[in-house]
Amino acid sequence: MYTSQILGTGHFVPDQIYTNQYMTTLFDTSDEWITERTGIKERRIANPKENEFPSTMALQAAKMAIKNAKIDKEEIEIILLSSTMSDYHFPNTATLLQDLLGMKNKCACIDLNAACTGWLYSLVMANSLIANGVYKNILVVGSETTSSYNNWMDRSKSVLFGDGCGAIVLSKSNNENSKIHKSILSSDSSKKDDLIMRTGMARSPFFVDSKSMDIVEMNGQVVFKSAVKTMASQCASILEQTNTTKEDVDLFIPHQANMRIIEAVARRFEFPKEKVFINVQKYANTSSASIPLALSEAVEAGRLKRGDKLLLTAFGSGLTSGTVLLTY
């Protein structure tokens, strides 16, 4: 069995910013109302006129990750791309990314949708492929345009979401200290209807009528309680299983859903706030892009260096969840 390491990171966010003040022009709200309930001050919104879609945002993040990994793009042997809203129903967005990168090696391209947990699912799968000697270099991307299914007349949910992309190159480790120690993936399908988008697929195809303007349906209390309980529980479990203490963890990156959830997880998990990486105030909830985006920013800012222990946890529709402990 081999071990894997994050060889390079990258991220991209659109230039267009919807501040809380701008949101007050869309519906009755205020900066204070949004900030108090979510901790979010602004969100980045993809602009189709600027050719900003999951694939094109992924191109920028992937180019940065490949450059930082110091490998040639043709050394990428498979692309795993997480997104809740792809460019098209088909072909998949990973295929579009391969084409945009100008890759000629005809590597495998797979899209994965596990909502906000999707990138962590992809990371665990990539690690397994490397551990078993199937591949040496894997591009793992989370790219999201949540604005493409946001109802901008709904203040309760539209303030929560934003667009962005994060990417890593995961490679066979040449550093015995860099490895993924343990992962937990799960899904509680009994709560599948508590966060759901019904429109646009087989059960409600290809259109939005006047009766389905509430595109994303969310039972906020159920999602909040489940997210906090599950992420905190998984974090405690993974540390126990690896004989790791909280003091051993150098940085904690939870899914950037909103500030209330992040702070509640840290409190329940009894983890020091100064070790929690937070950028939700700048980008809002970018779904499965949130962790790789935050990871790339943490590396860029010097918050994460080689040999540091990193704890990642996420939660999303499904209700999916996942936690990973690794040494960077």
Side-chain angles (χ1 to χ4, degrees):
M1 299 286 285
Y2 302 100
T3 58
S4 61
Q5 66 174 345
I6 298 174
L7 203 59
T9 60
H11 65 278
F12 174 84
V13 292
D15 289 334
Q16 183 171 231
I17 300 174
Y18 282 15
T19 63
N20 288 351
Q21 187 58 42
Y22 173 76
M23 302 301 277
T24 67
T25 69
L26 303 179
F27 38 69
D28 181 20
T29 190
S30 67
D31 174 51
E32 292 76 16
W33 187 90
I34 299 170
T35 303
E36 180 183 346
R37 286 160 177 77
T38 70
I40 297 165
K41 301 297 288 186
E42 58 188 40
R43 67 280 303 142
R44 301 298 180 103
I45 302 299
N47 185 349
K49 293 181 180 179
E50 297 295 329
N51 195 35
E52 289 175 340
F53 301 101
S55 61
T56 55
M57 293 196 304
L59 171 64
Q60 302 305 320
K63 286 168 66 175
M64 182 178 174
I66 293 168
K67 180 181 179 180
N68 288 334
K70 298 179 181 178
I71 65 171
D72 187 271
K73 63 188 178 184
E74 301 299 335
E75 295 179 72
I76 299 295
E77 295 165 293
I78 184 171
I79 299 172
L80 300 180
L81 191 147
S82 170
S83 186
T84 53
M85 178 65 74
S86 302
D87 283 53
Y88 307 115
H89 283 268
F90 51 84
N92 67 29
T93 302
T95 297
L96 303 181
L97 175 57
Q98 182 199 61
D99 180 59
L100 289 170
L101 283 166
M103 295 174 65
K104 305 299 182 186
N105 64 6
K106 298 182 180 179
C107 70
C109 296
I110 300 172
D111 276 12
L112 185 146
N113 182 355
C116 300
T117 319
W119 187 83
L120 275 188
Y121 271 51
S122 300
L123 175 64
V124 173
M125 293 176 186
N127 180 57
S128 297
L129 289 168
I130 290 172
N132 287 285
V134 180
Y135 296 117
K136 293 181 180 179
N137 298 300
I138 301 176
L139 183 60
V140 188
V141 184
S143 191
E144 299 282 8
T145 54
T146 64
S147 60
S148 62
Y149 53 81
N150 216 344
N151 177 2
W152 294 106
M153 293 180 288
D154 178 3
R155 79 168 186 168
S156 67
K157 292 189 283 291
S158 64
V159 299
L160 298 174
F161 298 101
D163 302 336
C165 181
I168 67 165
V169 174
L170 191 72
S171 300
K172 180 181 174 183
S173 182
N174 55 19
N175 176 355
E176 63 181 16
N177 293 321
S178 293
K179 64 177 69 175
I180 292 178
H181 300 283
K182 186 74 177 178
S183 63
I184 299 172
L185 299 179
S186 69
S187 184
D188 181 5
S189 58
S190 69
K191 297 182 177 68
K192 65 185 184 301
D193 291 329
D194 288 310
L195 181 52
I196 188 169
M197 175 180 166
R198 303 177 194 272
T199 304
M201 301 300 278
R203 294 198 185 199
S204 181
F206 309 122
F207 65 88
V208 178
D209 61 32
S210 59
K211 296 180 181 179
S212 56
M213 283 305 293
D214 194 17
I215 301 170
V216 176
E217 301 169 44
M218 180 168 63
N219 185 330
Q221 286 298 313
V222 170
V223 172
F224 179 91
K225 291 177 181 178
S226 297
V228 172
K229 180 180 178 180
T230 302
M231 287 193 286
S233 174
Q234 286 188 0
C235 286
S237 176
I238 210 166
L239 294 189
E240 181 180 358
Q241 291 179 50
T242 57
N243 294 315
T244 303
T245 67
K246 295 170 188 173
E247 290 72 25
D248 293 330
V249 177
D250 297 287
L251 193 66
F252 177 38
I253 303 180
H255 168 49
Q256 306 290 300
N258 64 61
M259 193 69 78
R260 279 189 171 181
I261 289 179
I262 293 170
E263 290 178 342
V265 170
R267 282 197 305 271
R268 189 179 181 111
F269 181 40
E270 297 181 342
F271 197 81
K273 189 174 181 179
E274 61 271 16
K275 287 187 176 183
V276 183
F277 190 87
I278 300 172
N279 64 5
V280 69
Q281 72 279 5
K282 298 189 297 181
Y283 305 128
N285 182 348
T286 56
S287 190
S288 70
S290 85
I291 287 182
L293 198 167
L295 171 59
S296 180
E297 284 203 333
V299 172
E300 191 174 63
R303 292 282 303 275
L304 187 66
K305 60 185 185 299
R306 287 295 172 198
D308 283 353
K309 274 199 168 56
L310 174 64
L311 183 63
L312 310 171
T313 190
F315 187 91
S317 173
L319 294 173
T320 62
S321 56
T323 302
V324 173
L325 177 68
L326 61 89
T327 297
Y328 180 70

